[in-house]
């Protein structure tokens, strides 16, 4: 299994503090949708000052499938940020962001497919206490915030 996927699964029990991007468009019909390029997820440990960042990226393979990449990293790059003097907040994010409360991560699920080239991720679902955050890849990254469990997402690749 991908090392970054393992780190991402390890965020179960952490607080999802938000998603950040240089540009983020929001749409609201029945549920909230965020459209963003080069987003970064931030998680905070519930009992320490530990913070983890995951940059989301995507590509399209030869058959036209959209592949989602989750990269663990130490800073919120590529979003604009500054170092913070506050002991519980390492960085101040200067770009667009979205967060919600309560934000404890109960479960992380990765969906995708397997072929002779390997196992590929296409969607991620974060189950929070009262919401589901679904992240889908395409020409841009789509983030859907809903109170209902998403359905029809493909084959489960990993789950925590």
């Amino acid at each position: 299994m991908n090392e970054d996927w393992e780190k991402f699964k390890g965020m179960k029990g952490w607080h999802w503090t938000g998603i950040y991007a240089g540009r983020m468009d929001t749409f609201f019909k029945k549920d909230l949708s965020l459209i963003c390029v080069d987003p970064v997820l931030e998680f905070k440990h519930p009992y320490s000052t530990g913070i983890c960042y995951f940059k989301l990226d995507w590509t399209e393979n030869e058959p036209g499938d959209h592949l989602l990449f989750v990269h663990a990293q130490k800073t919120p790059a590529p979003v604009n940020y500054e170092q913070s003097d506050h002991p519980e907040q390492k960085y101040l994010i200067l770009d667009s962001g979205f967060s919600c409360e309560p934000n404890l991560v109960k479960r992380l699920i990765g969906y995708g497919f397997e072929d002779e080239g390997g196992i590929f991720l296409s969607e991620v679902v974060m189950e929070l206490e009262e919401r589901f955050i679904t992240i889908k890849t395409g020409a841009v990254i789509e983030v859907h915030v809903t109170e209902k469990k998403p359905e029809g997402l493909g084959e489960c690749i990993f789950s925590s």
Side-chain angles (χ1 to χ4, degrees):
M1 173 154 306
N2 181 308
E3 184 178 321
D4 285 327
W5 294 356
E6 287 295 328
K7 288 179 184 175
F8 188 67
K9 282 175 32 180
M11 296 299 100
K12 177 182 176 179
W14 287 50
H15 291 278
W16 175 66
T17 50
I19 183 168
Y20 307 100
R23 178 179 172 156
M24 186 178 304
D25 295 322
T26 58
F27 300 94
F28 186 77
K29 286 187 180 181
K30 190 175 182 183
D31 299 316
L32 178 66
S33 294
L34 310 167
I35 309 297
C36 41
V37 178
D38 293 329
V40 175
L41 301 174
E42 180 183 59
F43 296 87
K44 185 173 187 279
H45 194 276
Y47 306 113
S48 75
T49 59
I51 296 175
C52 288
Y53 297 96
F54 290 88
K55 181 182 181 298
L56 304 176
D57 204 358
W58 77 279
T59 193
E60 185 175 317
N61 65 7
E62 186 73 28
D65 300 312
H66 294 160
L67 312 177
L68 179 65
F69 299 101
V70 179
H71 305 286
Q73 55 188 43
K74 295 180 183 193
T75 69
V79 299
N80 292 311
Y81 67 94
E82 291 180 356
Q83 196 83 24
S84 171
D85 292 333
H86 196 279
E88 291 190 28
Q89 185 175 2
K90 289 173 107 173
Y91 305 108
L92 298 173
I93 309 294
L94 305 175
D95 283 335
S96 298
F98 172 80
S99 62
C100 60
E101 293 282 338
N103 60 8
L104 183 68
V105 178
K106 292 174 58 178
R107 189 170 175 208
L108 290 154
I109 310 159
Y111 295 92
F113 60 94
E114 186 174 353
D115 68 13
E116 39 307 316
I119 300 173
F120 300 98
L121 191 61
S122 58
E123 297 169 291
V124 170
V125 175
M126 292 189 297
E127 182 180 342
L128 306 180
E129 294 166 279
E130 296 178 3
R131 287 173 191 78
F132 293 89
I133 311 292
T134 304
I135 302 168
K136 297 173 65 171
T137 184
V140 292
I141 304 285
E142 295 180 46
V143 180
H144 299 281
V145 182
T146 181
E147 293 178 356
K148 295 180 183 175
K149 184 175 182 176
E151 298 176 351
L153 297 176
E155 182 182 336
C156 181
I157 302 298
F158 65 79
S159 179
S160 63

